Amino acid sequence: MINLPKLLGAAVAAMLMMPAAAGAVTTNVGTPFNKFSTIASSGTFGNNGGLANRNFINTFTFVITRAGDLAADFTNSASRNNSNGDIDFTSARLTGGSLGTPLSFRRLLGEPVSMTEAWALAQPQRIAAGTYTLTIAGRAYGAASTFSGNFNVAAVPEPATWAMMIAGVGMAGGALRRRRVTKAEFRWA
């Protein structure tokens, strides 16, 4: 007769001792950092190394306190292709907050033209206040692999601010138009 508890225990022990598959993805490995300021609505993020020859996923969370136009990008700096220090990014997506569908970043620069890979949003995106998560995936080649990026939300004037600004410019223009100009006369004696 088969002893089910012993069989299950042996199966779990065997799974724990198996090495990770070559294509396995490790989440938030290395030394990720996020220096985003909710007050300034801008900051930097990235990973300072320790990615060590593996597929990885790093996630960064940003709490936005005011609506604005988002501009974000990130880059690595490699000296040789597929060697220590190189990172090949595979995807980058921003989710959460007011986004109905995730925003995908696109590669602007990379191999074979350049060792450095640069990824960014195609154009600034208007977002509302909320919590957003940026997920970056890639393949690191060595412990010296690092990347960093910028995440900035520029304030957008509210409609009332625009109305006051337009009214002020109109009033200044009206005052200049109504102003009497005194002409100087010259008489020859």
Side-chain angles (χ1 to χ4, degrees):
M1 181 167 190
I2 299 175
N3 187 341
L4 191 57
K6 279 187 177 180
L7 182 62
L8 287 174
V12 168
M15 286 174 38
L16 291 175
M17 291 190 305
M18 290 173 60
V25 175
T26 308
T27 304
N28 287 332
V29 68
T31 51
F33 66 90
N34 184 351
K35 296 181 179 178
F36 181 77
S37 165
T38 55
I39 296 169
S41 289
S42 69
T44 60
F45 64 91
N47 196 314
N48 282 332
L51 294 172
N53 263 349
R54 67 179 92 193
N55 294 328
F56 70 92
I57 295 176
N58 281 158
T59 58
F60 304 94
T61 302
F62 305 95
V63 178
I64 309 300
T65 57
R66 65 173 188 240
D69 289 335
L70 167 66
D73 62 76
F74 61 93
T75 185
N76 74 326
S77 182
S79 57
R80 286 182 286 168
N81 190 19
N82 297 339
S83 65
N84 194 16
D86 186 24
I87 296 179
D88 292 334
F89 296 110
T90 55
S91 69
R93 294 169 30 124
L94 183 69
T95 57
S98 62
L99 300 174
T101 58
L103 289 179
S104 292
F105 285 61
R106 67 179 206 186
R107 188 172 100 169
L108 303 177
L109 181 66
E111 300 159 1
V113 176
S114 169
M115 292 293 117
T116 299
E117 280 195 35
W119 288 56
L121 291 173
Q123 60 188 18
Q125 176 75 30
R126 177 84 35 99
I127 61 172
T131 301
Y132 295 85
T133 301
L134 175 60
T135 305
I136 299 174
R139 168 86 176 129
Y141 295 92
S145 302
T146 64
F147 69 92
S148 63
N150 301 300
F151 195 93
N152 302 304
V153 180
V156 176
E158 295 181 11
T161 305
W162 280 105
M164 286 187 353
M165 191 167 50
I166 291 169
V169 169
M171 288 179 9
L176 286 173
R177 183 170 184 205
R178 289 195 171 103
R179 193 176 188 191
R180 290 190 172 197
V181 178
T182 1
K183 293 184 181 179
E185 287 186 31
F186 293 100
R187 291 187 184 181
W188 298 97

